[in-house]
Coordinates of all heavy atoms in Angstrom, one line a residue:
M1 N 0.9 -1.2 0.0 CA 0.0 0.0 0.0 C 0.9 1.2 0.0 O 1.7 1.4 0.9 CB -1.0 0.1 1.2 CG -1.9 -1.0 1.3 SD -2.7 -0.8 2.9 CE -4.5 -1.1 2.4
A2 N 0.5 2.0 -0.9 CA 1.4 3.4 -1.0 C 0.9 4.3 0.0 O 1.7 5.3 0.3 CB 1.3 3.9 -2.5
G3 N -0.2 4.2 0.4 CA -0.8 5.2 1.4 C -0.3 5.0 2.9 O -0.5 6.0 3.7
N4 N 0.5 3.9 3.1 CA 0.9 3.7 4.5 C 2.3 4.0 4.6 O 3.0 3.5 5.5 CB 0.8 2.2 4.9 CG -0.8 1.9 5.3 OD1 -1.5 2.9 5.7 ND2 -1.1 0.8 5.3
S5 N 2.9 5.0 3.9 CA 4.2 5.4 4.1 C 4.6 6.1 5.3 O 5.7 6.1 5.7 CB 4.7 6.3 2.9 OG 3.9 7.6 3.0
H6 N 3.6 6.5 6.1 CA 3.8 7.1 7.3 C 4.1 6.2 8.5 O 4.5 6.4 9.5 CB 2.6 8.0 7.8 CG 1.4 7.3 7.9 ND1 0.5 7.0 6.9 CD2 0.7 6.9 9.2 CE1 -0.5 6.3 7.4 NE2 -0.4 6.3 8.8
N7 N 3.9 4.9 8.2 CA 4.2 3.9 9.2 C 5.7 3.3 9.1 O 6.0 2.4 10.0 CB 3.3 2.7 9.0 CG 1.8 3.1 9.5 OD1 1.6 3.9 10.3 ND2 0.9 2.4 8.8
K8 N 6.4 3.8 8.2 CA 7.8 3.3 8.1 C 8.7 4.0 9.2 O 8.5 4.9 9.6 CB 8.4 3.6 6.7 CG 7.9 2.9 5.6 CD 8.6 3.3 4.2 CE 7.9 3.1 3.0 NZ 8.7 3.5 2.0
F9 N 9.8 3.2 9.6 CA 10.7 3.8 10.4 C 11.4 4.9 9.8 O 12.1 4.7 8.7 CB 11.6 2.7 11.0 CG 12.5 3.2 12.1 CD1 12.0 3.2 13.3 CD2 13.8 3.4 11.9 CE1 12.7 3.6 14.5 CE2 14.6 3.8 13.0 CZ 14.1 3.9 14.3
P10 N 11.8 6.0 10.4 CA 12.4 7.2 9.7 C 13.9 7.1 9.7 O 14.7 7.7 10.6 CB 11.9 8.4 10.6 CG 11.7 7.7 12.0 CD 11.2 6.3 11.7
W11 N 14.4 6.1 9.0 CA 15.8 6.0 9.0 C 16.7 7.2 8.5 O 17.7 7.4 9.1 CB 16.3 4.8 7.9 CG 16.0 3.4 8.5 CD1 14.9 2.6 8.1 CD2 16.6 2.8 9.5 NE1 14.9 1.6 8.8 CE2 15.9 1.7 9.8 CE3 17.7 3.1 10.5 CZ2 16.2 0.8 10.8 CZ3 18.0 2.3 11.4 CH2 17.3 1.1 11.5
N12 N 16.1 8.1 7.7 CA 16.8 9.3 7.3 C 17.1 10.1 8.4 O 18.0 10.8 8.6 CB 16.0 10.1 6.2 CG 16.3 9.5 4.8 OD1 17.1 8.7 4.5 ND2 15.4 9.8 3.9
H13 N 16.0 10.3 9.3 CA 16.1 11.0 10.6 C 17.2 10.5 11.5 O 17.9 11.3 12.1 CB 14.9 11.2 11.2 CG 13.8 12.0 10.4 ND1 13.0 11.3 9.7 CD2 13.6 13.2 10.3 CE1 12.1 12.3 9.0 NE2 12.6 13.4 9.4
V14 N 17.2 9.2 11.6 CA 18.1 8.5 12.6 C 19.6 8.9 12.1 O 20.5 9.3 12.8 CB 17.9 7.0 12.7 CG1 19.0 6.4 13.5 CG2 16.6 6.8 13.4
L15 N 19.9 8.6 10.7 CA 21.2 8.7 10.1 C 21.5 10.3 10.3 O 22.7 10.7 10.5 CB 21.2 8.3 8.6 CG 21.2 6.8 8.5 CD1 21.1 6.6 7.0 CD2 22.4 6.3 9.1
G16 N 20.6 11.2 10.1 CA 20.8 12.7 10.1 C 21.2 13.1 11.5 O 22.1 13.8 11.8
F17 N 20.6 12.4 12.5 CA 20.9 12.7 13.9 C 22.3 12.2 14.2 O 23.0 12.9 14.9 CB 19.8 12.0 14.8 CG 20.0 12.2 16.3 CD1 20.0 13.4 16.8 CD2 20.5 11.1 17.0 CE1 20.2 13.6 18.2 CE2 20.8 11.2 18.4 CZ 20.6 12.5 19.0
I18 N 22.6 11.0 13.8 CA 24.0 10.4 14.1 C 25.1 11.3 13.3 O 26.0 11.6 14.1 CB 24.0 9.0 13.5 CG1 23.2 8.1 14.5 CG2 25.4 8.5 13.6 CD1 23.0 6.7 13.9
F19 N 24.8 11.8 12.2 CA 25.8 12.5 11.3 C 26.0 13.8 12.1 O 27.1 14.3 12.3 CB 25.3 12.8 9.9 CG 25.5 11.7 9.0 CD1 24.6 11.6 8.0 CD2 26.5 10.7 9.3 CE1 24.8 10.4 7.1 CE2 26.5 9.6 8.5 CZ 25.7 9.4 7.4
S20 N 24.8 14.4 12.7 CA 25.0 15.7 13.4 C 25.7 15.6 14.6 O 26.5 16.4 15.0 CB 23.5 16.2 13.7 OG 22.8 16.5 12.5
I21 N 25.5 14.5 15.4 CA 26.3 14.3 16.6 C 27.7 14.1 16.3 O 28.6 14.7 16.9 CB 25.7 13.0 17.3 CG1 24.3 13.3 17.8 CG2 26.7 12.6 18.4 CD1 24.2 14.4 18.8
V22 N 28.1 13.4 15.4 CA 29.5 13.0 14.8 C 30.1 14.4 14.5 O 31.2 14.6 14.9 CB 29.6 12.0 13.8 CG1 30.9 12.0 13.1 CG2 29.1 10.7 14.3
L23 N 29.5 15.2 13.6 CA 30.1 16.4 13.3 C 30.2 17.3 14.4 O 31.2 18.0 14.5 CB 29.1 17.1 12.2 CG 29.1 16.4 10.8 CD1 28.0 17.1 9.9 CD2 30.5 16.5 10.2
T24 N 29.3 17.4 15.3 CA 29.5 18.3 16.6 C 30.6 17.7 17.4 O 31.5 18.5 17.9 CB 28.2 18.2 17.4 OG1 27.0 18.7 16.5 CG2 28.3 19.1 18.5
L25 N 30.8 16.4 17.6 CA 31.9 15.9 18.3 C 33.2 16.2 17.7 O 34.2 16.5 18.4 CB 31.7 14.4 18.6 CG 30.6 14.1 19.5 CD1 30.3 12.6 19.6 CD2 30.7 14.7 20.8
I26 N 33.3 16.2 16.4 CA 34.6 16.5 15.8 C 34.9 18.0 15.8 O 36.0 18.3 16.2 CB 34.4 16.2 14.2 CG1 34.4 14.6 14.2 CG2 35.7 16.8 13.5 CD1 34.1 14.1 12.6
A27 N 33.9 18.8 15.8 CA 34.2 20.3 16.0 C 34.5 20.6 17.5 O 35.5 21.3 17.7 CB 32.8 21.1 15.9
V28 N 34.0 19.8 18.5 CA 34.5 20.0 19.9 C 35.8 19.5 20.0 O 36.7 20.2 20.8 CB 33.3 19.3 20.8 CG1 34.0 19.1 22.2 CG2 32.1 19.9 20.9
W29 N 36.1 18.4 19.5 CA 37.5 17.9 19.6 C 38.5 18.9 18.9 O 39.6 19.1 19.5 CB 37.7 16.5 18.8 CG 39.1 16.0 18.7 CD1 39.8 15.4 19.8 CD2 39.9 16.2 17.7 NE1 41.1 15.2 19.3 CE2 41.3 15.7 18.1 CE3 39.8 16.8 16.5 CZ2 42.4 15.7 17.2 CZ3 40.9 16.8 15.7 CH2 42.2 16.4 15.9
A30 N 38.2 19.4 17.7 CA 39.0 20.4 17.2 C 39.4 21.6 18.0 O 40.4 22.2 18.1 CB 38.4 20.8 15.8
A31 N 38.2 22.0 18.6 CA 38.4 23.3 19.3 C 39.0 23.0 20.8 O 39.8 23.9 21.1 CB 36.9 23.8 19.7
L32 N 38.8 21.9 21.4 CA 39.4 21.8 22.7 C 40.5 20.9 22.8 O 41.4 21.0 23.7 CB 38.2 21.2 23.6 CG 37.0 21.9 23.7 CD1 36.0 21.1 24.6 CD2 37.3 23.3 24.4
Y33 N 40.7 19.9 22.0 CA 41.8 18.9 22.3 C 42.8 18.8 21.1 O 43.7 18.2 21.2 CB 41.1 17.6 22.5 CG 40.1 17.6 23.7 CD1 38.8 17.3 23.4 CD2 40.7 17.7 24.9 CE1 38.0 17.3 24.5 CE2 39.7 17.7 25.9 CZ 38.3 17.5 25.7 OH 37.4 17.5 26.7
S34 N 42.7 19.5 19.9 CA 43.5 19.4 18.9 C 44.7 20.3 19.1 O 44.6 21.3 19.7 CB 43.0 19.6 17.6 OG 42.6 20.9 17.4
S35 N 45.8 20.1 18.4 CA 46.9 21.0 18.5 C 47.1 21.7 17.1 O 48.2 22.1 16.8 CB 48.2 20.2 18.6 OG 48.4 19.3 17.6
L36 N 46.0 22.0 16.6 CA 45.9 22.8 15.3 C 46.1 24.2 15.6 O 45.8 24.8 16.7 CB 44.6 22.5 14.5 CG 44.3 21.0 14.2 CD1 42.9 21.0 13.6 CD2 45.3 20.7 13.1
S37 N 46.5 24.9 14.6 CA 46.6 26.4 14.7 C 45.2 27.0 14.9 O 44.2 26.4 14.5 CB 47.4 27.1 13.7 OG 46.6 26.9 12.4
L38 N 45.1 28.2 15.4 CA 43.8 28.9 15.5 C 43.1 29.0 14.1 O 42.0 28.8 14.1 CB 44.0 30.3 16.2 CG 42.7 31.0 16.4 CD1 41.8 30.2 17.5 CD2 43.0 32.4 17.0
T39 N 43.9 29.4 13.1 CA 43.3 29.5 11.8 C 42.7 28.2 11.4 O 41.6 28.2 10.8 CB 44.4 30.0 10.8 OG1 44.8 31.2 11.4 CG2 43.7 30.3 9.4
A40 N 43.4 27.1 11.5 CA 43.1 25.7 11.2 C 41.7 25.4 11.9 O 40.8 24.7 11.4 CB 44.1 24.7 11.3
I41 N 41.8 25.7 13.2 CA 40.4 25.4 14.0 C 39.4 26.1 13.6 O 38.2 25.5 13.4 CB 40.8 25.7 15.5 CG1 41.8 24.7 16.0 CG2 39.5 25.6 16.3 CD1 42.4 25.0 17.5
V42 N 39.5 27.4 13.2 CA 38.3 28.2 12.7 C 37.9 27.5 11.4 O 36.7 27.4 11.1 CB 38.7 29.7 12.7 CG1 37.6 30.3 11.8 CG2 38.9 30.2 14.1
W43 N 38.7 27.2 10.5 CA 38.3 26.7 9.3 C 37.7 25.4 9.4 O 36.7 25.1 8.7 CB 39.5 26.8 8.2 CG 39.8 28.0 7.5 CD1 40.7 28.9 7.9 CD2 39.0 28.6 6.7 NE1 40.6 30.1 7.1 CE2 39.5 29.9 6.4 CE3 37.7 28.6 6.1 CZ2 39.0 30.9 5.6 CZ3 37.1 29.3 5.2 CH2 37.8 30.5 4.9
T44 N 38.2 24.6 10.2 CA 37.6 23.3 10.4 C 36.2 23.4 11.1 O 35.3 22.8 10.6 CB 38.5 22.4 11.5 OG1 39.8 22.3 11.0 CG2 38.0 21.1 11.8
I45 N 36.0 24.3 11.9 CA 34.7 24.5 12.5 C 33.8 25.0 11.5 O 32.5 24.6 11.4 CB 34.7 25.4 13.8 CG1 35.5 24.6 14.9 CG2 33.4 25.9 14.2 CD1 35.7 25.4 16.2
V46 N 34.2 26.0 10.7 CA 33.3 26.5 9.7 C 33.0 25.4 8.6 O 31.7 25.3 8.2 CB 34.0 27.7 8.9 CG1 33.3 28.1 7.6 CG2 34.1 28.9 9.9
T47 N 33.8 24.6 8.3 CA 33.6 23.6 7.3 C 32.6 22.6 7.9 O 31.6 22.1 7.3 CB 34.8 22.8 6.9 OG1 35.8 23.8 6.3 CG2 34.6 21.7 5.9
L48 N 32.8 22.2 9.2 CA 31.9 21.2 9.9 C 30.6 21.9 10.0 O 29.4 21.3 9.9 CB 32.4 20.8 11.2 CG 33.6 20.0 11.0 CD1 34.3 19.8 12.4 CD2 33.4 18.6 10.4
A49 N 30.4 23.3 10.2 CA 29.2 23.9 10.3 C 28.4 23.8 9.0 O 27.2 23.6 9.0 CB 29.3 25.3 10.9
L50 N 29.0 24.1 7.8 CA 28.5 24.0 6.6 C 28.0 22.7 6.3 O 26.9 22.4 5.8 CB 29.4 24.6 5.5 CG 29.7 25.9 5.6 CD1 30.7 26.4 4.6 CD2 28.4 26.7 5.3
L51 N 28.7 21.6 6.6 CA 28.3 20.2 6.4 C 27.1 19.9 7.3 O 26.2 19.2 6.9 CB 29.4 19.2 6.9 CG 30.5 19.0 5.8 CD1 31.7 18.3 6.3 CD2 30.1 18.5 4.5
Q52 N 27.1 20.4 8.6 CA 26.0 20.2 9.4 C 24.8 20.9 8.9 O 23.7 20.3 9.0 CB 26.3 20.8 10.8 CG 25.2 20.7 11.9 CD 25.6 19.6 12.8 OE1 26.4 18.7 12.7 NE2 24.9 19.8 14.1
A53 N 24.9 22.1 8.3 CA 23.7 22.7 7.7 C 23.2 22.0 6.5 O 22.0 21.7 6.4 CB 24.1 24.0 7.3
A54 N 24.0 21.3 5.8 CA 23.6 20.5 4.7 C 22.9 19.2 5.2 O 21.8 18.9 4.7 CB 24.8 20.1 3.8
V55 N 23.5 18.6 6.2 CA 22.8 17.5 6.8 C 21.4 17.8 7.4 O 20.4 17.1 7.0 CB 23.6 16.8 8.0 CG1 22.8 16.0 8.7 CG2 24.9 16.2 7.4
Q56 N 21.3 18.9 8.0 CA 20.0 19.4 8.5 C 18.9 19.6 7.4 O 17.8 19.1 7.4 CB 20.2 20.6 9.3 CG 21.1 20.5 10.4 CD 20.4 19.7 11.6 OE1 19.2 19.8 11.8 NE2 21.2 19.1 12.3
L57 N 19.5 20.3 6.3 CA 18.5 20.6 5.2 C 18.0 19.4 4.4 O 16.9 19.2 4.2 CB 19.3 21.5 4.2 CG 19.5 23.0 4.6 CD1 20.2 23.7 3.7 CD2 18.0 23.8 4.9
F58 N 19.0 18.4 4.2 CA 18.5 17.3 3.4 C 17.9 16.1 4.2 O 17.0 15.5 3.7 CB 19.8 16.8 2.6 CG 20.2 17.5 1.4 CD1 21.2 18.5 1.6 CD2 19.4 17.6 0.3 CE1 21.6 19.3 0.5 CE2 19.8 18.5 -0.7 CZ 20.9 19.3 -0.6
M59 N 18.4 15.9 5.4 CA 17.9 14.9 6.2 C 16.6 15.3 6.9 O 15.8 14.3 7.2 CB 19.0 14.3 7.2 CG 20.1 13.8 6.6 SD 19.7 12.2 5.7 CE 21.5 11.5 5.5
F60 N 16.5 16.4 7.6 CA 15.4 16.7 8.4 C 14.4 17.7 7.7 O 13.1 17.5 7.8 CB 15.9 17.4 9.8 CG 16.7 16.5 10.4 CD1 18.0 16.9 10.7 CD2 16.2 15.4 10.9 CE1 18.8 16.1 11.4 CE2 17.0 14.7 11.8 CZ 18.3 14.9 12.1
M61 N 14.7 18.6 6.8 CA 13.9 19.5 6.2 C 13.5 19.0 4.7 O 12.8 19.8 4.0 CB 14.5 20.9 6.1 CG 14.8 21.5 7.6 SD 15.6 23.0 7.5 CE 14.1 23.9 7.8
H62 N 14.1 17.9 4.4 CA 13.7 17.3 3.0 C 13.8 18.3 1.9 O 12.9 18.4 1.1 CB 12.2 16.8 3.1 CG 12.1 15.8 4.3 ND1 12.6 14.6 4.4 CD2 11.4 16.0 5.5 CE1 12.3 14.0 5.5 NE2 11.5 14.9 6.3
I63 N 14.8 19.1 1.9 CA 15.1 20.0 0.8 C 15.2 19.6 -0.6 O 14.6 20.2 -1.5 CB 16.3 20.8 1.2 CG1 16.3 22.3 0.4 CG2 17.6 20.2 0.7 CD1 15.3 23.3 1.1
G64 N 15.5 18.3 -0.7 CA 15.7 17.7 -2.2 C 14.2 17.1 -2.7 O 14.3 16.6 -3.8
E65 N 13.3 17.0 -1.8 CA 12.0 16.3 -2.3 C 11.1 17.2 -3.1 O 10.3 16.7 -3.8 CB 11.3 15.9 -0.9 CG 12.1 14.7 -0.3 CD 11.4 14.2 1.0 OE1 10.3 14.6 1.2 OE2 12.1 13.3 1.7
G66 N 11.1 18.4 -3.0 CA 10.1 19.3 -3.8 C 10.8 19.7 -5.1 O 11.9 19.7 -5.3
E67 N 9.8 20.2 -5.9 CA 10.3 20.5 -7.3 C 9.4 21.9 -7.5 O 8.7 22.3 -6.8 CB 9.7 19.6 -8.3 CG 10.4 18.3 -8.3 CD 11.9 18.4 -8.7 OE1 12.3 19.1 -9.5 OE2 12.7 17.6 -8.1
G68 N 10.0 22.6 -8.4 CA 9.3 23.8 -8.7 C 10.1 25.2 -8.5 O 11.1 25.1 -7.9
K69 N 9.6 26.1 -9.1 CA 10.3 27.4 -9.1 C 10.1 28.1 -7.7 O 11.1 28.9 -7.1 CB 9.8 28.4 -10.1 CG 10.2 28.1 -11.5 CD 9.7 29.0 -12.5 CE 9.9 28.6 -14.0 NZ 9.5 29.5 -14.9
A70 N 9.1 27.8 -7.0 CA 8.8 28.4 -5.8 C 9.7 27.9 -4.7 O 10.3 28.7 -4.0 CB 7.4 28.1 -5.3
Q71 N 10.1 26.7 -4.8 CA 10.9 26.2 -3.8 C 12.5 26.7 -4.0 O 13.1 27.0 -3.2 CB 11.0 24.5 -3.7 CG 11.9 24.0 -2.7 CD 11.9 22.6 -2.5 OE1 11.3 22.0 -3.3 NE2 12.4 22.1 -1.5
K72 N 12.7 26.6 -5.3 CA 14.1 27.1 -5.6 C 14.3 28.7 -5.2 O 15.3 29.0 -4.7 CB 14.3 27.0 -7.1 CG 14.6 25.6 -7.5 CD 14.9 25.4 -9.0 CE 15.0 24.0 -9.4 NZ 15.2 23.9 -10.9
G73 N 13.2 29.5 -5.5 CA 13.2 30.9 -5.0 C 13.5 30.9 -3.6 O 14.1 31.9 -3.0
T74 N 12.6 30.1 -2.9 CA 12.8 30.1 -1.3 C 14.1 29.8 -0.9 O 14.5 30.3 0.0 CB 11.7 29.2 -0.7 OG1 10.5 29.5 -1.3 CG2 11.8 29.2 0.8
I75 N 14.7 28.8 -1.4 CA 16.1 28.3 -1.1 C 17.0 29.6 -1.4 O 18.0 29.8 -0.6 CB 16.5 27.1 -1.8 CG1 15.7 26.0 -1.4 CG2 18.0 26.8 -1.8 CD1 15.9 24.6 -2.2
Y76 N 17.0 30.1 -2.5 CA 18.0 31.1 -2.8 C 17.7 32.4 -1.9 O 18.6 33.0 -1.5 CB 17.8 31.6 -4.4 CG 18.2 30.6 -5.3 CD1 17.5 30.5 -6.5 CD2 19.2 29.8 -5.1 CE1 17.7 29.5 -7.4 CE2 19.7 28.7 -6.1 CZ 18.9 28.7 -7.2 OH 19.2 27.7 -8.1
F77 N 16.4 32.7 -1.7 CA 16.3 33.8 -0.7 C 16.8 33.5 0.7 O 17.3 34.4 1.3 CB 14.7 34.2 -0.7 CG 14.4 35.3 0.2 CD1 14.8 36.5 -0.2 CD2 13.8 35.2 1.4 CE1 14.4 37.7 0.6 CE2 13.3 36.2 2.2 CZ 13.8 37.4 1.8
S78 N 16.5 32.3 1.1 CA 17.0 31.9 2.4 C 18.6 31.9 2.5 O 19.1 32.4 3.5 CB 16.6 30.6 2.8 OG 15.1 30.5 2.8
A79 N 19.1 31.5 1.4 CA 20.8 31.5 1.3 C 21.2 33.0 1.3 O 22.1 33.4 2.1 CB 21.2 30.9 0.2
F80 N 20.4 33.9 0.7 CA 20.8 35.3 0.6 C 20.6 35.9 2.0 O 21.5 36.6 2.5 CB 19.9 36.0 -0.2 CG 20.1 37.5 -0.3 CD1 21.3 38.2 -0.8 CD2 19.0 38.2 0.3 CE1 21.3 39.5 -0.7 CE2 19.2 39.7 0.4 CZ 20.3 40.3 -0.2
I81 N 19.5 35.6 2.8 CA 19.2 36.2 4.1 C 20.4 35.6 5.0 O 21.0 36.3 5.9 CB 17.9 35.8 4.6 CG1 16.8 36.4 3.8 CG2 17.8 36.1 6.1 CD1 16.8 38.0 3.9
A82 N 20.8 34.4 5.0 CA 21.8 33.7 5.8 C 23.0 34.5 5.6 O 23.8 34.8 6.6 CB 21.9 32.2 5.5
V83 N 23.5 34.7 4.3 CA 24.8 35.4 4.0 C 24.6 36.8 4.6 O 25.7 37.4 5.1 CB 25.0 35.5 2.5 CG1 26.2 36.3 2.1 CG2 25.3 34.0 2.1
V84 N 23.6 37.6 4.4 CA 23.4 38.9 5.0 C 23.6 38.9 6.5 O 24.3 39.7 7.0 CB 22.1 39.5 4.5 CG1 21.8 40.7 5.3 CG2 22.1 39.8 3.0
I85 N 22.9 38.0 7.1 CA 23.0 37.9 8.6 C 24.5 37.6 9.1 O 24.9 38.3 9.9 CB 22.1 36.9 9.1 CG1 20.7 37.3 8.9 CG2 22.3 36.4 10.7 CD1 19.6 36.3 9.4
V86 N 25.1 36.7 8.4 CA 26.4 36.3 8.8 C 27.4 37.4 8.5 O 28.2 38.0 9.4 CB 26.9 35.0 8.2 CG1 28.4 34.8 8.4 CG2 26.1 33.8 8.7
A87 N 27.4 38.1 7.3 CA 28.3 39.2 6.9 C 28.1 40.4 7.7 O 29.0 41.0 8.2 CB 28.1 39.3 5.3
G88 N 26.8 40.6 8.1 CA 26.4 41.7 8.8 C 26.9 41.6 10.3 O 27.4 42.5 10.9
S89 N 26.8 40.4 10.7 CA 27.3 40.3 12.1 C 28.8 40.4 12.3 O 29.2 41.0 13.2 CB 26.9 38.7 12.6 OG 25.5 38.6 12.6
I90 N 29.6 39.7 11.3 CA 30.9 40.0 11.2 C 31.3 41.5 11.1 O 32.2 41.9 11.9 CB 31.5 39.1 10.1 CG1 31.4 37.7 10.5 CG2 33.0 39.5 10.0 CD1 31.7 36.6 9.3
W91 N 30.6 42.1 10.3 CA 30.9 43.6 9.9 C 30.6 44.4 11.4 O 31.5 45.2 11.8 CB 30.0 44.1 8.9 CG 30.2 45.6 8.7 CD1 31.3 46.2 8.6 CD2 29.1 46.5 8.4 NE1 31.1 47.6 8.4 CE2 29.7 47.7 8.2 CE3 27.8 46.4 8.5 CZ2 28.9 48.8 8.0 CZ3 26.9 47.6 8.2 CH2 27.6 48.7 8.0
V92 N 29.6 44.0 12.0 CA 29.2 44.8 13.2 C 30.2 44.5 14.3 O 30.8 45.3 15.0 CB 27.7 44.4 13.7 CG1 27.5 44.9 15.1 CG2 26.8 45.2 12.8
M93 N 30.5 43.2 14.5 CA 31.5 42.9 15.5 C 32.9 43.4 15.3 O 33.6 43.8 16.2 CB 31.7 41.3 15.6 CG 30.5 40.6 16.2 SD 30.5 38.9 16.5 CE 30.6 38.2 15.0
N94 N 33.3 43.4 14.1 CA 34.6 44.1 13.6 C 34.6 45.5 13.9 O 35.5 46.1 14.4 CB 34.9 43.8 12.1 CG 36.2 44.0 11.8 OD1 37.0 44.1 12.6 ND2 36.5 44.2 10.5
A95 N 33.5 46.3 13.6 CA 33.4 47.6 13.8 C 33.5 48.0 15.2 O 34.1 48.9 15.7 CB 32.1 48.2 13.0
M96 N 32.7 47.0 16.1 CA 32.7 47.3 17.4 C 34.1 47.1 18.0 O 34.6 47.9 18.9 CB 31.7 46.3 18.1 CG 31.7 46.4 19.7 SD 31.1 48.2 20.1 CE 29.4 47.8 20.1
M97 N 34.8 46.1 17.5 CA 36.1 45.9 18.1 C 37.2 47.1 17.6 O 37.8 47.4 18.6 CB 36.8 44.5 17.4 CG 38.1 44.2 18.0 SD 38.7 42.8 17.2 CE 39.3 43.5 15.6
H98 N 37.0 47.5 16.5 CA 37.8 48.7 16.2 C 37.5 50.0 17.0 O 38.4 50.8 17.3 CB 37.8 49.0 14.7 CG 38.5 48.0 13.8 ND1 39.9 47.8 14.0 CD2 38.1 47.0 13.0 CE1 40.4 46.9 13.1 NE2 39.3 46.3 12.7
S99 N 36.2 50.1 17.2 CA 35.8 51.4 18.0 C 36.2 51.2 19.5 O 36.3 52.4 20.1 CB 34.3 51.6 17.9 OG 33.7 50.7 18.6
M100 N 36.4 50.2 20.0 CA 36.8 49.9 21.4 C 38.3 50.1 21.5 O 38.7 50.2 22.6 CB 36.2 48.7 21.9 CG 34.8 48.5 22.1 SD 34.2 47.2 22.6 CE 34.3 47.5 24.4
M101 N 39.0 50.0 20.5 CA 40.5 50.1 20.6 C 41.0 51.6 20.5 O 40.7 52.3 20.0 CB 41.2 49.2 19.6 CG 40.9 47.7 19.8 SD 41.8 46.7 18.8 CE 42.1 45.3 19.7

């Protein structure tokens, strides 16, 4: 029966949860216990954060399941808003740091 798909075990959610935990533990290890340089630690954490975002989008939010221009537009707009928030936050923190010195 095709109508009983809601009775299946959610393996994608379990795998996404495991991937999220593993990526988080790797980031914690890199920050607290590795002997990497500060720059390498920051780049490692940023890379792991991007991978974590991809896992969240594809495993939990089912970003690849929909079709159409509306979903693509929503994805592009959301990415734009995320970039504006991150860049704006970095800009404000940088400006605050320079004004305090």
Side-chain angles (χ1 to χ4, degrees):
M1 293 177 139
N4 280 339
S5 65
H6 65 278
N7 289 334
K8 290 188 204 176
F9 190 76
W11 286 110
N12 282 344
H13 292 97
V14 172
L15 288 175
F17 178 70
I18 291 170
F19 288 152
S20 295
I21 295 296
V22 168
L23 290 170
T24 300
L25 291 175
I26 293 170
V28 168
W29 173 83
L32 297 178
Y33 303 113
S34 71
S35 61
L36 298 171
S37 68
L38 181 62
T39 305
I41 290 172
V42 169
W43 280 108
T44 301
I45 291 174
V46 167
T47 303
L48 291 170
L50 291 173
L51 286 172
Q52 180 107 337
V55 167
Q56 298 289 326
L57 286 172
F58 286 102
M59 296 291 201
F60 297 117
M61 301 178 91
H62 310 286
I63 200 77
E65 292 180 5
E67 294 291 328
K69 292 181 182 179
Q71 184 177 10
K72 288 180 184 177
T74 303
I75 292 169
Y76 293 143
F77 181 69
S78 299
F80 172 73
I81 294 298
V83 168
V84 168
I85 288 172
V86 170
S89 298
I90 291 171
W91 179 47
V92 167
M93 288 187 291
N94 193 20
M96 180 63 84
M97 183 182 72
H98 285 294
S99 69
M100 294 182 83
M101 291 185 153

